[in-house]
Amino acid sequence: MAIFKKLDCKFFTATMLEWKCLLVKDLYKDVILNSLHFLVQNNKVYVHAFVIMNNHIHILWSIRAPNTQEDVQHDFLSYTAHAIIKDLKINDSVFLEEFKVNTSDRKYQIWERNPLTIDLWDEAALIPKLNYIHNNPVKAGLCGVPKEYKYSSATFHETGIDDFGFLSHYL
């Protein structure tokens, strides 16, 4: 029986409204990367792994005290939504209309409400999620092997080289 170190890591998944393929544009993937970089630089999270797909994202991260999971998720989703909406207003107002909602607190909604968060307390729980994240683009036909996909941490986990400047190993 393997003995695993206790972790405080979370598997986070957020989906575009109605699974729309909004994240096809690299510009919007870069918005997500910039937000992750900001969260790390401002001592809100450690980002251990991620993948940005065409209509959803997966992240393995650890929330840094005194920040709360709710606050970090809100900041991340709010910032990315506002940045994407701002660009859509200028460059694709027709597509933006697909994100129009009839709610009292917003005119447009980019992310589905209630993203998924799963606590991962040890490597036995974390490793399958890490493999799932990195194999997601392969299963979607976006690449042949995980390290070929640009918007993923797979290369970092294979080589230890962080081309994004914000990744840290889960140990």
Side-chain angles (χ1 to χ4, degrees):
M1 181 171 146
I3 299 174
F4 294 112
K5 181 180 175 187
K6 185 175 181 336
L7 305 173
D8 187 13
C9 187
K10 297 179 185 312
F11 174 76
F12 173 75
T13 297
T15 305
M16 299 280 93
L17 182 69
E18 298 170 353
W19 287 85
K20 290 182 173 85
C21 290
L22 177 61
L23 298 174
V24 172
K25 280 187 168 184
D26 288 352
L27 173 68
Y28 300 149
K29 291 181 184 105
D30 290 340
V31 166
I32 291 169
L33 293 176
N34 291 338
S35 183
L36 291 174
H37 192 266
F38 174 86
L39 291 172
V40 170
Q41 288 294 104
N42 287 277
N43 299 316
K44 294 181 180 282
V45 298
Y46 293 109
V47 176
H48 309 299
F50 74 92
V51 67
I52 305 170
M53 301 297 289
N54 290 338
N55 56 12
H56 66 285
I57 60 169
H58 300 296
I59 303 170
L60 289 181
W61 59 14
S62 298
I63 309 301
R64 297 183 66 180
N67 303 288
T68 66
Q69 171 186 315
E70 294 76 19
D71 288 342
V72 169
Q73 286 178 189
H74 176 268
D75 290 350
F76 174 76
L77 296 173
S78 178
Y79 170 81
T80 54
H82 282 92
I84 291 168
I85 289 168
K86 181 178 176 181
D87 180 76
L88 286 171
K89 282 180 179 177
I90 296 167
N91 296 307
D92 198 346
S93 59
V94 173
F95 189 41
L96 177 61
E97 290 305 305
E98 292 189 33
F99 295 90
K100 198 168 201 171
V101 292
N102 187 20
T103 62
S104 60
D105 65 336
R106 68 193 69 205
K107 185 173 181 179
Y108 302 102
Q109 183 173 328
I110 298 298
W111 298 101
E112 286 285 349
R113 294 199 183 253
N114 303 316
L116 173 69
T117 299
I118 299 172
D119 290 322
L120 305 174
W121 296 107
D122 58 30
E123 285 184 272
L126 185 141
I127 297 300
K129 296 297 186 194
L130 182 67
N131 291 332
Y132 176 80
I133 285 172
H134 291 151
N135 285 306
N136 215 262
V138 177
K139 288 182 182 179
L142 299 174
C143 60
V145 294
K147 71 178 184 174
E148 291 176 351
Y149 189 64
K150 179 179 176 182
Y151 291 98
S152 162
S153 58
T155 299
F156 170 73
H157 284 276
E158 188 171 312
T159 67
I161 299 169
D162 178 12
D163 291 327
F164 299 102
F166 60 74
L167 292 167
S168 58
H169 198 275
Y170 58 87
L171 294 176

